C-alpha cells in the first residue's frame, strides 16, 4: 500500500490540540497521511459533517459543550455510515454500552493509543464492504422493483403495492370491512392497440421508443398520487386512489386516451397509437389483488372488442367473453397444424361481358367444438399473436395451388384474390415468399391478385411504395380492399403502384337502403378510372345495385347477388356454367 492510498480524512471532535497531535502522530506512524478538521461544538460539528465526506470521526468523550453520545447522534443523523471511534480518558462502562447502542464502532484509551492504527484499518475495510453491500441492495431493489426499459414500477412492485393498499384498508378498518371512499381505489389496465404491428413493421427499437414515451405521457397526464406500473409487453396499469365507482373513472380513461392523441415521432415519421382501457374497482370488483387485475383484464378485452380508443368498466358478464378469447387464442395455435382452416372462394364477375374473371379466397375456421368461425372473429387474434404470418402464407399457397388445379382441369383461367394483412405486408421477404409460392405451385403471376387495405398508408409512404413496386415486379395484381373506409388520400393513390380499387360494401349497401351514398360510389369509380385503375364493387346484393353500378361504369362486381363464398368445386361448376353477370347466380 503506498502513501497516497493511505490518505485519511479525519474529523476530530476534540477540544485539546495537544491530544489530537498525539492521535495524528500515531496515525502518521501507521503510514497514514492525514487531512483533518478539529471541531469542539455542536454547530461546528454539524457544518463540518455537512460540507465534506469523512473517512473517520474520532471523538473525545467529554468536551466542555458536547458529550460523545450527542456528537454521535449529530454525525449519524447526517452521515449514517461514517465510522465513529471514541478516543478518550476513562469512560464509565454504562456510557460505553450506550455509545455502542447508538453505533459507536470502538473505544480507545488515550493512554493506550497503540491499537488505534489497527482499529482505523479495520474500519476502513468494513466501510468499503458496507458501501458495496448498500449498493448491491440498492441495485437489487431497482432490478426487482422497476422495469429496466421505462423506469416504471414493474409487475412485482405493482402486486406488492396492491397488497399493501388492501392491507392498509383492512388495518384502518379495525376489523370493519366497509371501505370508505378514501380506501377505495380503481385499477386501470391500459393496452396499446396493435402494438405488435408497430414492432413487426418498424422494429424493436421503434416499439421500445413508443413504450418509453407512453410511460412518460401517462406519468405526465395522471396525478402524482396515482401509481403507474408496466405490467409487461405493451400493458400498463394505473392504480388511482379514492375511486370506487364508474363516476370519475371515465374522466380518467379519457385523460389516458387523450395523452396518446399526439403522434409519436419515430425516425422522422408520424405514428398514431391508440389505447384500450379496462377498469375494475376495489372493493366492489374483488377482495384480492389478482381478482382485481383479472377483472380489469376482462373489461379490457371488452374494450378491445369495441375497437378504437375504448374504455370499459368491469361487469361480471364479461368473464365469459374473456375466457372465450383465451380459449380461442390457444385453439388458434393448433388450428393450422390440425387442418381446421379452410378456404372458400367468392366469384367476381366482369359487369359487361358477364364472365367470371376471378375468385376471392376467404378463410374459414372449422373448430371441432364451436363449429364454423368467420374471419372477423379470429383475424384480429391472428394479427395480435403474430400467427397471421404462417397462416397468411398457408392461405397464399393454398389459393395459388387451387387456381393452378382449376387451370390444369381445363377450366377458363381466372385470377385468385388473396387478402393480405398489414402485418404480412411489412414482413421482410414478402416478395420472395410470393415468388417461391408461385414457383412451387406453378401458377403464373398474372393469375394472382393481392387485396391490401388502405392502412398500409399509415406507415411511411416511401416504404409502402417500395414494397408495392417489388410485388408488382413479380407480375401480380394489387387491389386496394374496402376502399373509402381507410386513410388514403388522393396523393397516396396517385403514387401507389396499384391496379384496382375495391369499393367498400358499406357504400354499395347504402344505395339499397336509400341512404344517399351514391355520390361516393360515383366519385370512387370516376377517380379510379382517371387514375387508370379498374374498379370492383363488393357486397352487391340486389338488381337495383347492379343497374346503378353498370350505369356508372363500374368494371367488376362481387357479392351475394352473384354468389356467396363457396367451396372450390362449386367455383369450378360456376366457371363452366355462369355466363351472364346481370342474372342472379344459382345458390350453390
Ligand atoms: P373482405 O376482404 O372485404 O371480404 C369480403 C367480405 O364480405 C367477406 O366476409 C364476404 O363473405 C363478405 N361479402 C361478400 N359479398 C357480400 C354481400 O353481398 N353481402 C354481405 N353482407 N357480405 C358480403 P368474410 O369472408 O367474413 O371476411 C371478412 C373479412 O375477413 C374480409 O373482408 C377480409 O378482410 C378478412 N379475411 C378473410 N379471409 C382472409 C385471409 O385469408 N387473410 C386476411 N388477412 N384476411 C382475411
Ligand atoms: Mg378482400
Ligand atoms: Mg372488402
Amino acid at each position: 500500500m503506498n502513501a497516497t492510498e493511505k490518505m485519511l480524512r479525519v474529523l476530530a471532535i476534540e477540544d485539546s490540540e495537544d491530544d489530537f497531535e498525539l492521535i495524528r502522530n500515531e496515525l502518521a506512524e501507521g503510514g497514514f497521511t492525514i487531512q483533518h478538521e478539529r471541531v469542539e461544538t455542536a454547530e461546528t460539528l454539524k457544518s463540518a459533517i455537512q460540507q465534506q465526506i469523512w473517512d473517520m470521526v474520532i471523538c473525545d468523550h467529554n468536551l466542555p459543550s458536547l458529550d460523545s453520545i450527542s456528537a454521535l447522534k449529530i454525525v449519524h443523523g447526517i452521515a449514517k455510515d461514517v465510522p465513529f471511534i471514541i478516543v478518550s480518558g476513562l469512560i464509565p462502562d454504562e456510557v460505553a454500552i450506550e455509545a455502542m447502542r447508538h453505533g459507536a464502532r470502538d473505544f480507545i484509551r488515550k493512554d493506550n493509543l497503540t491499537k488505534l492504527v489497527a482499529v482505523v484499518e479495520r474500519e476502513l475495510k468494513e466501510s468499503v464492504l458496507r458501501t458495496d453491500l448498500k449498493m448491491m441492495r440498492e441495485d437489487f431493489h431497482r432490478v426487482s422493483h422497476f422495469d429496466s426499459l421505462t423506469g416504471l414500477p414493474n409487475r412485482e412492485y405493482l402486486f406488492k403495492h396492491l397488497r399493501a393498499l388492501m392491507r392498509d384498508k383492512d388495518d384502518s378498518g379495525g376489523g370493519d370491512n366497509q371501505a370508505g371512499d378514501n380506501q377505495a381505489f380503481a385499477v386501470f389496465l391500459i393496452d396499446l392497440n396493435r402494438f405488435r404491428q408497430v414492432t413487426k413493421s418498424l422494429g424493436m427499437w421503434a416499439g421500445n421508443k413508443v413504450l418509453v414515451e407512453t410511460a412518460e405521457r401517462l406519468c405526465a397526464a395522471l396525478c402524482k398520487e396515482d401509481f403507474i406500473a408496466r405490467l409487461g409487453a405493451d400493458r400498463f396499469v394505473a392504480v388511482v386512489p379514492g375511486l370506487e365507482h364508474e363516476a370519475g373513472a371515465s374522466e380518467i380513461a379519457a385523460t389516458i386516451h387523450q395523452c396518446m392523441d399526439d403522434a409519436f415521432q419515430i425516425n422522422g415519421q408520424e405514428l398514431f397509437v391508440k389505447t384500450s382501457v379496462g377498469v375494475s374497482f376495489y372493493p366492489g370488483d374483488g377482495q384480492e389483488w389478482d381478482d382485481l387485475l383479472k377483472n380489469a383484464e376482462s373489461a379490457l378485452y371488452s374494450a378491445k372488442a369495441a375497437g378504437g380508443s375504448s374504455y370499459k368498466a368491469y361487469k361480471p358478464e364479461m368473464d365469459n367473453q374473456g375466457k372465450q378469447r383465451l380459449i380461442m387464442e390457444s385453439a388458434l395455435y393448433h388450428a393450422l397444424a390440425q387442418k381446421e382452416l379452410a378456404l372458400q372462394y367468392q366469384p367476381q364477375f366482369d359487369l359487361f361481358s358477364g364472365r367470371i374473371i376471378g375468385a376471392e379466397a376467404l378463410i374459414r375456421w372449422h373448430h371441432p367444438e364451436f363449429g364454423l368461425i368467420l374471419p372477423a372473429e379470429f383475424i384480429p387474434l391472428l394479427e395480435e399473436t403474430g400467427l397471421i404470418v404462417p397462416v397468411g402464407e398457408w392461405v397464399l399457397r393454398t389459393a395459388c395451388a387451387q387456381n393452378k388445379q382449376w387451370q390444369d382441369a381445363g377450366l377458363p383461367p381466372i385470377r385468385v384474390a388473396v387478402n393480405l394483412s398489414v402485418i404480412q405486408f411489412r414482413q421482410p421477404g414478402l416478395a420472395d415468399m410470393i415468388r417461391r409460392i408461385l414457383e412451387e405451385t406453378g401458377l403464373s403471376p398474372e393469375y394472382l391478385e393481392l387485396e391490401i387495405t388502405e392502412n398500409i398508408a399509415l406507415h411511411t409512404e416511401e416504404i409502402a411504395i417500395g414494397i408495392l413496386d417489388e410485388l408488382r415486379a413479380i407480375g401480380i395484381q394489387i387491389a386496394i380492399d374496402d376502399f373509402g373506409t381507410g386513410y388514403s388520400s388522393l396523393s397516396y393513390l396517385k403514387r401507389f403502384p396499384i391496379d384496382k380499387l375495391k369499393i367498400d360494401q358499406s357504400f354499395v349497401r347504402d344505395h339499397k337502403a336509400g341512404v344517399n351514398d351514391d355520390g361516393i360510389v360515383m366519385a370512387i369509380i370516376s377517380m379510379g378510372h382517371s387514375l387508370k385503375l379498374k374498379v370492383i364493387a363488393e357486397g352487391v346484393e340486389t338488381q337495383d345495385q347492379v343497374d346503378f353500378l353498370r350505369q356508372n361504369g363500374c368494371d367488376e362486381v362481387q357479392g351475394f347477388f352473384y354468389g356467396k363464398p363457396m367451396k372450390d368445386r362449386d367455383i369450378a361448376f360456376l366457371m363452366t356454367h355462369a355466363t351472364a353477370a346481370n342474372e342472379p347466380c344459382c345458390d350453390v
Side-chain angles (χ1 to χ4, degrees):
M1 200 179 271
N2 65 35
T4 22
E5 280 170 326
K6 291 191 84 173
M7 165 72 80
L8 189 69
R9 293 164 299 185
V10 176
L11 177 62
I13 308 170
E14 174 63 77
D15 58 337
S16 155
E17 182 62 43
D18 290 346
D19 282 0
F20 182 67
E21 199 53 36
L22 291 174
I23 292 170
R24 204 155 64 145
N25 289 342
E26 191 66 29
L27 289 171
E29 269 174 36
F32 286 105
T33 306
I34 309 292
Q35 181 209 326
H36 83 280
E37 186 174 340
R38 190 171 62 78
V39 295
E40 295 179 37
T41 63
E43 284 68 35
T44 49
L45 170 61
K46 256 186 221 157
S47 108
I49 204 94
Q50 272 163 348
Q51 277 166 18
Q52 201 186 316
I53 294 172
W54 299 101
D55 299 315
M56 200 73 49
V57 174
I58 294 181
C59 181
D60 191 5
H61 172 54
N62 254 333
L63 292 97
S65 69
L66 195 59
D67 65 90
S68 60
I69 292 182
S70 310
L72 184 54
K73 285 181 183 165
I74 293 172
V75 170
H76 282 179
I78 299 167
K80 197 157 80 33
D81 295 323
V82 61
F84 190 99
I85 300 168
I86 299 176
V87 177
S88 178
L90 266 181
I91 304 181
D93 282 352
E94 61 273 19
V95 176
I97 291 167
E98 184 65 4
M100 267 311 234
R101 228 171 45 79
H102 282 92
R105 303 289 306 167
D106 216 329
F107 301 92
I108 295 170
R109 296 267 302 268
K110 277 187 180 171
D111 54 6
N112 183 17
L113 283 178
T114 45
K115 70 182 241 209
L116 179 65
V117 170
V119 167
V120 166
E121 279 178 343
R122 182 199 69 207
E123 283 308 313
L124 287 178
K125 270 189 205 139
E126 285 191 11
S127 192
V128 170
L129 281 176
R130 271 199 302 274
T131 312
D132 284 355
L133 199 65
K134 195 174 158 209
M135 278 165 61
M136 272 164 61
R137 278 206 198 102
E138 281 170 5
D139 274 357
F140 179 71
H141 184 264
R142 196 165 29 78
V143 170
S144 61
H145 284 74
F146 291 89
D147 169 46
S148 58
L149 179 69
T150 60
L152 287 180
N154 63 13
R155 54 190 292 130
E156 277 72 31
Y157 193 178
L158 167 73
F159 300 161
K160 228 175 177 178
H161 179 73
L162 289 173
R163 280 196 296 267
L165 280 181
M166 291 172 161
R167 207 174 39 241
D168 282 356
K169 175 252 152 190
D170 287 344
D171 291 349
S172 66
D176 176 4
N177 241 7
Q178 293 288 307
D181 266 0
N182 53 349
Q183 285 136 4
F185 62 87
V187 176
F188 289 79
L189 187 55
I190 304 154
D191 186 283
L192 307 187
N193 296 349
R194 303 192 173 272
F195 179 70
R196 187 176 277 273
Q197 280 188 21
V198 175
T199 45
K200 282 263 173 202
S201 53
L202 300 178
M204 201 65 156
W205 176 85
N208 285 350
K209 197 160 185 288
V210 169
L211 291 172
V212 169
E213 200 176 320
T214 300
E216 286 165 4
R217 290 187 189 195
L218 288 173
C219 290
L222 297 172
C223 290
K224 279 205 182 67
E225 299 75 49
D226 304 336
F227 181 92
I228 302 161
R230 180 174 174 216
L231 190 61
D234 57 333
R235 289 216 169 153
F236 296 86
V237 168
V239 181
V240 178
L243 272 184
E244 199 173 1
H245 307 292
E246 269 187 78
S250 57
E251 233 171 80
I252 289 174
T255 307
I256 293 170
H257 288 320
Q258 270 160 23
C259 82
M260 300 296 283
D261 273 353
D262 288 344
F264 289 77
Q265 299 294 334
I266 307 285
N267 266 349
Q269 84 178 76
E270 291 195 327
L271 184 77
F272 289 93
V273 180
K274 304 268 169 241
T275 50
S276 303
V277 179
V279 62
S280 64
F281 300 94
Y282 178 81
D285 293 336
Q287 294 292 319
E288 299 296 333
W289 62 274
D290 45 352
D291 284 341
L292 283 178
L293 281 172
K294 184 170 67 74
N295 292 340
E297 190 171 39
S298 294
L300 176 70
Y301 284 143
S302 173
K304 272 187 160 291
S309 296
S310 297
Y311 147 76
K312 293 273 188 243
Y314 170 72
K315 303 267 177 310
E317 54 270 26
M318 289 172 178
D319 287 345
N320 266 341
Q321 297 161 8
K323 267 187 212 132
Q324 192 70 16
R325 197 194 130 100
L326 276 180
I327 293 168
M328 286 254 288
E329 201 173 305
S330 59
L332 258 184
Y333 276 95
H334 308 293
L336 190 57
Q338 292 175 355
K339 301 198 168 30
E340 292 167 10
L341 300 177
L343 294 187
Q344 286 198 336
Y345 299 87
Q346 188 177 29
Q348 299 173 330
F349 293 86
D350 181 291
L351 194 45
F352 291 88
S353 71
R355 283 210 307 270
I356 176 167
I357 41 100
E360 179 176 9
L362 294 159
I363 193 166
R364 300 289 179 260
W365 180 15
H366 297 278
H367 189 278
E369 214 178 300
F370 309 131
L372 174 69
I373 306 175
L374 290 174
E377 275 190 69
F378 65 92
I379 292 280
L381 266 178
L382 284 178
E383 289 180 332
E384 269 172 46
T385 52
L387 284 168
I388 192 71
V389 175
V391 169
E393 187 171 339
W394 173 84
V395 171
L396 266 163
R397 183 170 284 107
T398 310
C400 289
Q402 180 58 64
N403 200 11
K404 182 70 169 72
Q405 216 173 306
W406 285 324
Q407 293 179 5
D408 289 349
L411 294 165
I414 60 165
R415 197 174 288 141
V416 70
V418 173
N419 292 283
L420 198 80
S421 144
V422 183
I423 293 182
Q424 287 173 277
F425 183 75
R426 301 303 299 261
Q427 280 287 308
L430 171 69
D432 288 341
M433 187 259 281
I434 293 174
R435 230 177 266 121
R436 208 172 46 242
I437 288 178
L438 289 170
E439 256 171 48
E440 280 168 21
T441 57
L443 184 72
S444 197
E446 68 265 33
Y447 297 116
L448 173 64
E449 181 170 274
L450 292 184
E451 291 194 4
I452 52 185
T453 63
E454 292 165 89
N455 295 344
I456 56 159
L458 270 180
H459 301 293
T460 315
E461 202 181 320
E462 272 63 36
I463 296 179
I465 293 173
I467 299 170
L468 290 171
D469 276 336
E470 259 191 280
L471 295 175
R472 283 278 268 1
I474 302 175
I476 61 177
Q477 304 279 305
I478 311 266
I480 299 282
D481 201 357
D482 306 334
F483 187 77
T485 56
Y487 297 82
S488 281
S489 68
L490 197 57
S491 69
Y492 277 134
L493 267 191
K494 272 200 209 140
R495 298 194 55 203
F496 278 171
I498 52 171
D499 304 280
K500 200 186 269 187
L501 296 182
K502 199 168 186 188
I503 307 173
D504 186 67
Q505 50 184 287
S506 59
F507 304 123
V508 179
R509 193 181 314 129
D510 285 346
H511 174 77
K512 166 183 139 192
V515 182
N516 205 352
D517 261 341
D518 291 355
I520 295 181
V521 175
M522 285 151 72
I524 295 176
I525 296 172
S526 73
M527 187 170 71
H529 286 165
S530 67
L531 292 170
K532 311 244 174 322
L533 305 174
K534 287 260 183 212
V535 181
I536 179 168
E538 68 178 336
V540 179
E541 293 183 348
T542 65
Q543 181 70 56
D544 188 32
Q545 288 164 354
V546 176
D547 295 342
F548 166 72
L549 290 163
R550 182 177 284 119
Q551 276 155 24
N552 285 284
C554 185
D555 305 292
E556 298 168 4
V557 279
Q558 173 185 344
F560 292 174
F561 183 74
Y562 296 103
K564 291 190 170 170
M566 54 187 84
K567 292 198 175 123
D568 49 270
R569 61 166 184 271
D570 298 327
I571 285 283
F573 177 83
L574 262 191
M575 279 195 248
T576 44
H577 294 85
T579 46
N582 55 350
E583 294 296 326
C585 200
C586 39
D587 209 356
V588 273

